[in-house]
Amino acid sequence: MQPIWNKIIKIVPLWIAPNLLTFSGFVMILFNYFLISFYDWDYTASGTSPGRVPTWVWLFSAFTTFCAYALDSIDGKHARRTQSSTPLGELFDHGLDSWATSIFVLSFFSVCSRDNGKTGVSVYTMYIYLSIVLFNFMCSHWEKYNTGVLFLPWGYDISQVVLIAAYLLTGTVGVEVWQKPLLFGYYITDVLVILLIGFSLFLSFPQTLYNIHRAHLKKTLKNDSLYEGLLPLVSPLLLFVLLTVWVVLSPSNILAKQPRLFLWMVGVAFSNVICKVIVCQMSSTRPEPLHWFLLPLALLVCAAVSGLLGPAEEAALGILSALLTAAHLHYGLCVGRQLSEHLNIYIFSLKKRVQE
């Protein structure tokens, strides 16, 4: 894709801050997610109610996905072009990516629809699919935490191209294309899930382990201790365990009742946990063993699976999702403001701060 990005970067005015490109791409992804959610809150529009989502929405989704993909690919080039590369820009880019990763996936689920007995993907498959994607993202930054190098395989580029193609296909042919067997009785969604698991288990994760092992042999690891090296994985893994316990043991089958809200909460929680790992990796500091999100989540999961919440489980999920989202936004704003003051720069402008 580099030839395309090299042409696009030439039309970006030099006075635009790189962070503005990054943020614009994220806003487009977020707007597209809320637009799809408006028409398809429960992930059934493409299955039981074809046509509920207008054709223009799918075409608009392809457009916004491409724009976000392009802006995310040229923001670093633009930073080097304007000589404005900063740690704030790196954190801003990776931090928003950690959230956008889940939003991309949640938007795509509306294309393939949830299981309706004949076609579609079960909500449990959606949860596993999202978890695998977030696991891959986490592994990339865990690798950088240990090696100091962020190695990104072609999986990201492939996923973006597949997303854009899926939206274009849905907009031009219709959602019915996802409800017809592709080959040997397998649907397109089945093929995509198999490819995702295959890429993750046999390409992405082994590559991460290989890169860390190679750094160990070259004695270039940033952390000599096995404990220190594995520490960033503790909170994400505990988070996954707690969420999985809730999904499996929920008396009201919370994931089936509120799939969009639950998966949104999963994405926000993972994003905040990963953001703190990114901060530690950039500042060469030790991550906290247990993220504070784990405590309220553990209490809520215990109350839910024990039946203590009863019919209030959905309301509790809504409150937790709102609180985690607010806490994540607050964290991002505080870190951005502190870094901009420390580096004497503005987040969305190339002008220097006037020191008081």
Side-chain angles (χ1 to χ4, degrees):
M1 302 296 290
Q2 292 303 319
I4 298 176
W5 308 146
N6 291 335
K7 290 182 179 180
I8 293 178
I9 192 67
K10 294 177 181 178
I11 65 176
V12 179
L14 292 174
W15 55 266
I16 291 182
N19 288 338
L20 192 58
L21 299 178
T22 308
F23 187 68
S24 298
F26 178 75
V27 169
M28 295 183 79
I29 297 167
L30 200 60
F31 180 79
N32 180 63
Y33 170 78
F34 288 129
L35 178 65
I36 294 178
S37 300
F38 174 76
Y39 287 102
D40 183 30
W41 174 258
D42 55 359
Y43 291 119
T44 58
S46 296
T48 57
S49 307
R52 190 200 301 173
V53 181
T55 298
W56 69 266
V57 172
W58 300 124
L59 298 177
F60 180 75
S61 298
F63 171 74
T64 54
T65 302
F66 175 77
C67 289
Y69 176 32
L71 291 170
D72 187 44
S73 299
I74 67 173
D75 53 5
K77 292 179 180 290
H78 187 63
R80 291 183 288 274
R81 181 172 170 240
T82 55
Q83 297 182 347
S84 57
S85 299
T86 65
L88 173 59
E90 181 182 354
L91 178 61
F92 199 74
D93 186 12
H94 296 322
L96 289 181
D97 283 346
S98 70
W99 199 353
T101 299
S102 64
I103 298 174
F104 276 128
V105 178
L106 300 187
S107 298
F108 174 72
F109 286 155
S110 284
V111 172
C112 47
S113 177
R114 67 187 292 181
D115 185 16
N116 59 10
K118 295 182 179 179
T119 60
V121 178
S122 75
V123 291
Y124 302 104
T125 302
M126 291 181 181
Y127 172 68
I128 295 171
Y129 196 108
L130 177 62
S131 299
I132 291 174
V133 171
L134 293 174
F135 173 75
N136 279 335
F137 187 91
M138 177 192 70
C139 283
S140 294
H141 288 279
W142 171 60
E143 177 186 333
K144 187 177 182 183
Y145 172 83
N146 284 287
T147 66
V149 179
L150 181 62
F151 178 84
L152 291 176
W154 288 359
Y156 170 71
D157 295 276
I158 293 172
S159 67
Q160 294 302 294
V161 173
V162 168
L163 271 177
I164 295 167
Y167 287 134
L168 288 174
L169 183 66
T170 307
T172 53
V173 180
V175 296
E176 292 78 13
V177 70
W178 301 92
Q179 301 165 14
K180 298 176 182 177
L182 178 66
L183 193 66
F184 303 118
Y186 287 97
Y187 294 84
I188 300 179
T189 50
D190 297 328
V191 175
L192 291 177
V193 169
I194 293 170
L195 287 176
L196 174 70
I197 295 174
F199 273 118
S200 301
L201 296 182
F202 301 108
L203 289 178
S204 183
F205 186 57
Q207 182 70 55
T208 294
L209 296 179
Y210 172 73
N211 290 341
I212 293 176
H213 175 65
R214 189 171 60 177
H216 171 69
L217 294 178
K218 292 182 178 180
K219 302 188 182 302
T220 57
L221 280 179
K222 297 176 67 177
N223 303 286
D224 296 330
S225 164
L226 179 63
Y227 171 76
E228 294 290 341
L230 295 176
L231 194 58
L233 297 179
V234 175
S235 286
L237 291 177
L238 287 177
L239 181 63
F240 173 73
V241 169
L242 286 172
L243 291 170
T244 303
V245 168
W246 194 1
V247 166
V248 174
L249 300 180
S250 170
S252 65
N253 201 356
I254 191 66
L255 182 59
K257 282 191 173 181
Q258 291 290 345
R260 187 173 290 276
L261 190 59
F262 189 92
L263 296 176
W264 169 269
M265 182 268 294
V266 172
V268 172
F270 265 99
S271 177
N272 194 265
V273 171
I274 294 170
C275 275
K276 295 201 172 186
V277 173
I278 294 172
V279 170
C280 293
Q281 161 254 304
M282 289 179 60
S283 57
S284 297
T285 54
R286 183 184 185 187
E288 54 191 6
L290 299 176
H291 192 288
W292 72 267
F293 274 12
L294 296 173
L295 178 58
L297 178 62
L299 293 174
L300 184 58
V301 170
C302 289
V305 299
S306 64
L308 190 62
L309 290 178
E313 188 175 0
E314 287 185 62
L317 171 63
I319 294 172
L320 178 67
S321 300
L323 291 176
L324 293 187
T325 303
H328 189 40
L329 289 172
H330 177 262
Y331 175 76
L333 290 171
C334 288
V335 172
R337 177 174 51 81
Q338 291 171 17
L339 271 177
S340 66
E341 291 175 355
H342 176 72
L343 298 172
N344 194 34
I345 58 176
Y346 291 105
I347 298 178
F348 298 118
S349 173
L350 293 177
K351 296 178 180 179
K352 294 287 185 181
R353 280 178 176 270
V354 178
Q355 291 194 358
E356 301 176 357

